[in-house]
């Protein structure tokens, strides 16, 4: 099992070089950025410059906030700069964010994301192999790429694409066309075993692939003391208020709680939401442990379900470095 960590949502760009070097020094396998308070790719250009071994990627960048060609350039440059250590993680986001936060058009996500990935690969194929660009889909038409605008071939042209999702349709799509699937932290091992993994296998089988060709990457809620436990409870309440995450709640009979959380969120009654996340629900989603036993808890819960794992908990250089290092070493055994 590979062990990853993430750049904190509010981390300043000036702090990324030191964080990246520290993450590499403690032995994590990959460092991830998210599209929250910063452009995720600016952070990763610094990671590429200040590390030599560690892989890095977006978990995730929002596909529908960008043109496939604009994103193709960014990914190509990061792959070249890092010697092939870049992983492109793509998510779809929900309709209000696409339309109201990014000012872009919305359409059903599964078909559009499939086309987006195929368009990306068509552009990269043109740059690497000199083939004429002729991609024609329902959402994207790409037929112009003159030599002046074409980057030179690179040494590592296969840029891994991970897709993120909650429900079975996006997991199935990952099984068909992606190199990996990013599991949202609002999950349970039962949901992975009964919904996510079978969907990936179904998609892979449809196109004659092995399900093992798709790396499953899981970000998990971990609480190492009582204060973190309550913070995780609040974060679960926030995520569970989003209707897109209802399939996981329904599997466990928590659908009514999700509906109540949605109502409170619509009324901006944030303080009342965590009380709806009972201990039973919290313990099914999150791991409460100490540094001494967290690895055993992770391995017991996730063995055979994920290939790489990271804590939904910020890594801060100089704080608990030895605990992070020990965790990375134990998970690699």
């Amino acid at each position: 099992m590979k062990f990853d960590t993430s750049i904190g949502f509010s981390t300043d760009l000036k702090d990324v070089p030191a964080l990246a070097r520290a993450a590499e020094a403690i032995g994590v396998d990959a460092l991830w950025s998210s599209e929250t308070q910063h452009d995720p790719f600016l952070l990763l250009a610094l990671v590429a410059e200040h590390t030599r071994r560690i892989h890095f990627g977006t978990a995730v960048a929002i596909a529908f906030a960008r043109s496939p060609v604009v994103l193709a350039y960014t990914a190509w440059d990061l792959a070249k700069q890092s010697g092939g250590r870049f992983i492109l993680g793509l998510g779809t986001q929900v309709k209000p964010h696409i339309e109201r936060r990014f000012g872009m058009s919305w359409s059903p996500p599964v078909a559009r994301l499939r086309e987006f990935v195929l368009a990306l690969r068509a552009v990269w194929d043109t740059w690497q192999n000199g083939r004429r660009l002729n991609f024609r889909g329902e959402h994207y038409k790409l037929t112009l790429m003159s030599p002046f605008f074409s980057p030179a071939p690179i040494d590592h042209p296969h840029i891994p694409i991970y897709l993120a999702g909650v429900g079975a349709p996006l997991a199935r799509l990952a099984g068909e066309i992606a190199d990996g699937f990013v599991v949202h932290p609002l999950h349970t091992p039962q949901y992975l075993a009964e919904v996510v993994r079978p969907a990936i296998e179904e998609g892979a089988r449809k196109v004659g692939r092995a399900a093992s060709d798709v790396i499953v990457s899981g970000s998990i809620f971990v609480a190492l003391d009582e204060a973190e436990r309550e913070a995780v409870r609040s974060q679960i309440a926030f995520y569970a208020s989003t209707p897109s995450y209802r399939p996981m709640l329904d599997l466990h009979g928590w659908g009514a709680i999700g509906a109540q959380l949605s109502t409170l969120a619509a009324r901006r009654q944030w303080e009342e939401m965590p009380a709806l996340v009972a201990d039973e629900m919290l313990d099914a989603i999150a791991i409460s442990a100490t540094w001494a036993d967290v690895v055993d808890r992770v391995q017991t819960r996730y063995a055979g379900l994920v290939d790489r794992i990271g804590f939904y908990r910020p890594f801060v250089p100089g704080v608990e470095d030895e605990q992070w290092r020990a965790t990375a070493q134990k998970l690699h055994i």
Side-chain angles (χ1 to χ4, degrees), residues 157-327:
H158 179 78
I159 301 172
I161 296 177
Y162 288 16
L163 303 184
V166 176
L170 283 170
R172 194 176 300 116
L173 178 64
E176 291 183 44
I177 67 170
D179 300 284
F181 184 72
V182 180
V183 178
H184 193 277
L186 190 71
H187 70 263
T188 65
Q190 181 181 344
Y191 188 75
L192 295 184
E194 296 182 10
V195 177
V196 172
R197 278 286 187 176
I200 291 173
E201 292 168 4
E202 181 184 347
R205 187 167 55 248
K206 179 180 178 181
V207 296
R209 301 175 72 194
S212 58
D213 291 340
V214 183
I215 300 298
V216 178
S217 177
S219 176
I220 62 173
F221 287 118
V222 169
L224 298 174
D225 57 36
E226 192 59 33
E228 289 189 9
R229 183 173 168 85
E230 294 311 308
V232 168
R233 193 190 304 271
S234 295
Q235 191 65 53
I236 290 173
F238 170 73
Y239 280 135
S241 70
T242 303
S244 299
Y245 304 144
R246 202 64 50 79
M248 193 282 289
L249 301 181
D250 289 339
L251 178 69
H252 291 274
W254 300 329
I257 296 173
Q260 290 176 270
L261 289 167
S262 297
T263 299
L264 291 175
R267 296 172 180 170
R268 307 183 70 82
Q269 294 175 273
W270 312 111
E271 296 81 6
E272 299 178 30
M273 292 168 60
L276 293 178
V277 180
D279 285 348
E280 177 188 6
M281 181 176 176
L282 175 61
D283 291 333
I285 296 171
I287 291 177
S288 294
T290 64
W291 279 114
D293 62 7
V294 69
V295 171
D296 288 341
R297 297 288 305 279
V298 168
Q299 290 175 328
T300 298
R301 185 177 282 205
Y302 287 100
L305 293 177
V306 298
D307 303 295
R308 58 191 323 147
I309 205 157
F311 296 168
Y312 192 92
R313 183 180 188 272
F315 166 67
V316 181
V319 178
E320 302 176 315
D321 283 6
E322 290 309 310
Q323 292 90 330
W324 284 102
R325 181 178 288 107
T327 299

Side-chain angles (χ1 to χ4, degrees), residues 1-5 27-30 32 53 55 87 162 215-218 298 306-311 327-328 331-333:
M1 186 182 293
K2 293 186 180 298
F3 182 57
D4 303 336
T5 192
V28 300
D29 294 291
W32 299 93
R53 174 196 60 81
H55 285 71
I87 301 168
Y162 288 16
I215 300 298
V216 178
S217 177
V298 168
V306 298
D307 303 295
R308 58 191 323 147
I309 205 157
F311 296 168
T327 299
L331 283 171
H332 286 157
I333 294 174

